[in-house]
Amino acid sequence: MSTANVRTRFAPSPTGFLHVGGARTALFNWLYARHYGGIFVLRIEDTDLERSTEESVTAILEGLEWLGLTWDEGPGCGGDYGPYFQSERLDIYKYYVQRLLDEDKAYLCYCTPEELKARREEALAQGRDPKYDRRCAQLTDAERKALEAEGRQPVVRFRSNDVGTTEVNDLIRGQIIFENGMLDDFVIQKSDGMPTYNFAVVIDDHLMKITHVIRGDDHISNTPRQIQVYQALDFPVPEFAHLPMILGNDKTRLSKRHGATSVTEYRDQGFLPKAMVNYLALLGWSYSATDTLFTPEELIEKFSLDRVSRNPAVFDMKKLEWMNGVYLRELDPEELTGLVIPRLQKEGLLPESIDAAARERVKKIAVSLQSRIRTLAEFVPSSRYFFEDDIEYDPAAVDKILARDYVPDMFAMLLDKLMQVEPFTEDNIEQVFLEVQEEVGRKLGDVIQPVRVAVTGTRVSPGMYEVLAALGRPRTLQRLKAAAEMAKAKLAGKD
RNA sequence: GCCCCCAUCGUCUAGCGGCCUAGGACAUCGCCCUCUCACGGCGAAGACAGGGGUUCAAAUCCCCUUGGGGGUACCA
């Protein structure tokens, strides 16, 4: 098939949040459509009444929007081939089910789930194939009446072709051949009148003129069934491309116990959509031997299915974090500041409304911390001491670094000089430190580290002069005084 | 059970018969930078699952085994 009028789709079932696996599938479909100037359709597969929820629909749309995976047809934007919720397309499925029934390509089956289950287990126990035994395939009208009189609600089964083979020409894996004898007469319409996945997906993909079905490789085995439905209905068969699965670090299917699996969780943890998209793209796709960083625009330009790998990929949080750090460092100060402020406010570290001066101060702090965080969420704990007066001291740092005998005198000297320096800027602060270092005759680190513990409570922070400048004189002096007392008390205790 | 997919460093991968004493990235380790931590720079360690073929030549092609994953639902 040509790539002239490419139409791809993402068809999630709204039974939870947008999973990273789903997001990756959506991304590949989106990239493929965008690359060829085609159409990306979003369709909601909500035929499972039990598990589908509206909140899930909202969450999925939110997730896609956050990632920037805009759709051309679907919920919220309509399109010529709607409706885009399967639950609103029931008449359409009914019509085609009836057509198959009329053509004797499908039939009513009155077996109950319990009966089927029992027979399946029995077959398995006897070493036989657990496929449906077709006992309802040739029912007479009278038999049907009797069954219905028992109060049985029939399902509709597809009369599958059981001779020969069905071939799937997968764009990623090549030709896959299935023996038709392996297929059984699967259900296409449930007893509640809803279509099943394997049926609805064919009807919709055909009616929505989908040219390329790009989905997870857990659908490979479903493909021959779907192809048979295409054939029974005389629909042209689209192209298929099955993506490798995304696994957890134990190589099993990625799930909650592997950590965050919903994209909104990643958003909340402070990952950037560009980083997420870049990382997801590399899960199963690569461009060259050396390139790994791609903007969405570059991905669109470079994406192709023939560079999609066939092996399953383990989701590597560490690499995602690294990549997020890369994008975080690329943010301009204004942007970073805007991202960080709401998080500080949420933690109560910043008032709801802030003036330009406060914003400027946050910007300085943000820039100081920019190369030291990998997610936006990390910003809050690493910047706390800038916003809170009751700082927490790392006891080990206090013991090892603050409680040194030269510290009280040195702090007194520092206090004296810092009180006078004007203005209280990085350069001037540096001068003070150099003078003090000279006077105490120690290494710079010996004067700075105690100060660091005194003002931040920890032995890790951005450069000391910038921290003090951002902290401001009053707070610096106050913390130095408090720490000097602390050091004295500790030293006295030691004697 | 049966069917299908997959198999290169710990992880993501490059490799599409000779360019491979297998390249890159994350992670790890070391060194440098340095007031700490990051960032950055340099370097190290680290893989073709096993066995048969085919070929002058195989990580690359074929078969088997093993391992992993998926399907076998009135879930999608």
Side-chain angles (χ1 to χ4, degrees), chain A residues 40 97 123 211 423:
Chain A
F40 175 55
V97 164
T211 57

Side-chain angles (χ1 to χ4, degrees), chain A residues 118-399:
Chain A
R119 275 184 251 149
R120 210 162 23 235
E121 278 162 8
E122 192 190 333
L124 231 29
Q126 293 174 0
R128 298 194 330 264
D129 274 354
K131 11 188 285 192
Y132 177 60
D133 58 13
R134 288 184 160 166
R135 72 172 60 194
C136 295
Q138 313 292 347
L139 256 24
T140 63
D141 285 349
E143 287 170 322
R144 267 196 283 271
K145 283 242 163 50
L147 258 1
E148 261 159 44
E150 289 178 30
R152 290 172 184 253
Q153 290 291 318
V155 299
V156 179
R157 281 183 187 273
F158 180 73
R159 209 182 280 284
S160 67
N161 174 8
D162 57 4
V163 298
T165 61
T166 297
E167 289 153 25
V168 179
N169 290 304
D170 190 282
L171 261 19
I172 294 169
R173 286 150 219 276
Q175 189 179 59
I176 307 168
I177 298 174
F178 294 86
E179 289 291 335
N180 288 339
M182 295 311 305
L183 302 182
D184 60 0
D185 289 351
F186 55 96
V187 173
I188 58 177
Q189 187 179 84
K190 309 178 208 172
S191 54
D192 63 3
M194 295 299 269
T196 59
Y197 165 73
N198 278 127
F199 182 71
V201 74
V202 170
I203 303 301
D204 290 344
D205 283 342
H206 172 254
L207 261 20
M208 294 180 184
K209 299 199 157 46
I210 301 304
T211 57
H212 300 258
V213 173
I214 304 170
R215 71 223 312 191
D217 75 8
D218 48 337
H219 286 295
I220 291 181
S221 322
N222 286 325
T223 311
R225 286 176 241 280
Q226 293 165 17
I227 288 179
Q228 285 212 9
V229 175
Y230 277 102
Q231 290 167 341
L233 257 10
D234 263 320
F235 291 165
V237 179
E239 296 288 345
F240 292 101
H242 289 97
L243 309 173
M245 299 264 82
I246 297 177
L247 311 177
N249 36 26
D250 59 357
K251 301 241 184 195
T252 64
R253 202 187 183 120
L254 191 65
S255 68
K256 314 100 235 140
R257 57 198 179 75
H258 296 109
T261 51
S262 93
V263 316
T264 40
E265 271 178 86
Y266 285 94
R267 179 195 62 194
D268 296 346
Q269 281 180 31
F271 285 88
L272 266 15
K274 278 183 185 181
M276 201 70 204
V277 162
N278 191 157
Y279 180 69
L280 251 19
L282 258 25
L283 236 36
W285 175 83
S286 66
Y287 178 64
S288 71
T290 54
D291 300 351
T292 47
L293 265 11
F294 304 96
T295 63
E297 295 69 34
E298 290 169 329
L299 288 173
I300 289 171
E301 183 205 325
K302 297 177 178 358
F303 186 77
S304 73
L305 284 176
D306 54 21
R307 292 204 61 89
V308 173
S309 110
R310 284 173 295 277
N311 23 352
V314 173
F315 190 85
D316 183 0
M317 189 68 167
K318 281 277 184 294
K319 191 162 185 173
L320 206 212
E321 284 173 353
W322 162 78
M323 197 170 273
N324 200 58
V326 171
Y327 283 94
L328 231 31
R329 271 170 253 132
E330 279 179 5
L331 254 30
D332 68 62
E334 201 43 54
E335 236 179 325
L336 216 213
T337 307
L339 254 17
V340 123
I341 284 174
R343 287 175 184 270
L344 293 171
Q345 289 170 324
K346 198 163 172 241
E347 279 297 304
L349 296 173
L350 223 49
E352 280 311 306
S353 76
I354 56 172
D355 58 19
R359 194 186 167 89
E360 232 8 71
R361 177 167 179 259
V362 174
K363 193 197 280 186
K364 283 218 175 64
I365 295 167
V367 170
S368 292
L369 254 12
Q370 191 163 20
S371 69
R372 281 164 250 259
I373 53 170
R374 295 162 98 77
T375 67
L376 258 13
E378 286 176 8
F379 187 84
V380 172
S382 17
S383 68
R384 268 207 125 80
Y385 54 82
F386 283 110
F387 305 101
E388 275 182 337
D389 282 324
D390 279 327
I391 64 169
E392 209 180 296
Y393 293 92
D394 167 10
V398 171
D399 283 343

